[in-house]
Amino acid sequence: MSHPADDERILADMERGLTHDDPALSATMDTLNQQFPRQPERPVKARSRRDPRLVTAVILTVIAVLALILTAALNTTPAPPDGEITRPTAHSAMVTTHQ
C-alpha cells in the first residue's frame, strides 16, 4: 500500500509532465480550478442503526396478525349447499337439556 506522500509526489510529477506536454490544456484546467475551488469533503454520514427492540416488536406483531388471520380462516365451517340436510356433529349430539 502506497503512502499518501508518495501519491501526492506522483500526481505532482504527472501534472508537471502535462503542463510541459500541453500548455493550452494546463491553462484551461487552471482557469477551471480558479472558477470552481475545491470544497472540503463532507464526512460520510454513518448509517443509523435500528433499535433491535423495535424490530423485534414489529416482527412479533406481523406474526401475531398472520396467526389470527390463519386461525380465523381455518376455524370457519362452510355452509351446506341449499337443500342438503346437515348431519349432527359430535358436539351437538352431546348437548342435553335438563328438565
Side-chain angles (χ1 to χ4, degrees):
M1 188 172 202
S2 64
H3 194 272
D6 293 337
D7 292 342
E8 288 184 27
R9 183 185 53 79
I10 293 170
L11 287 173
D13 289 342
M14 291 172 63
E15 187 176 347
R16 279 191 296 278
L18 177 63
T19 302
H20 182 279
D21 292 343
D22 194 351
L25 178 62
S26 177
T28 303
M29 294 302 292
D30 287 339
T31 304
L32 287 174
N33 285 334
Q34 290 172 1
Q35 289 178 354
F36 304 104
R38 187 172 183 162
Q39 297 177 356
E41 293 182 18
R42 296 180 188 152
V44 176
K45 193 184 258 187
R47 291 183 69 184
S48 63
R49 292 186 48 132
R50 291 188 173 97
D51 185 14
R53 291 175 292 177
L54 177 65
V55 172
T56 303
V58 169
I59 291 172
L60 290 176
T61 302
V62 169
I63 290 172
V65 168
L66 290 174
L68 285 173
I69 292 171
L70 186 61
T71 302
L74 293 176
N75 281 337
T76 58
T77 55
D82 290 338
E84 260 189 46
I85 300 175
T86 59
R87 226 176 52 183
T89 62
H91 176 70
S92 63
M94 293 193 305
V95 177
T96 59
T97 58
H98 296 284
Q99 293 182 0

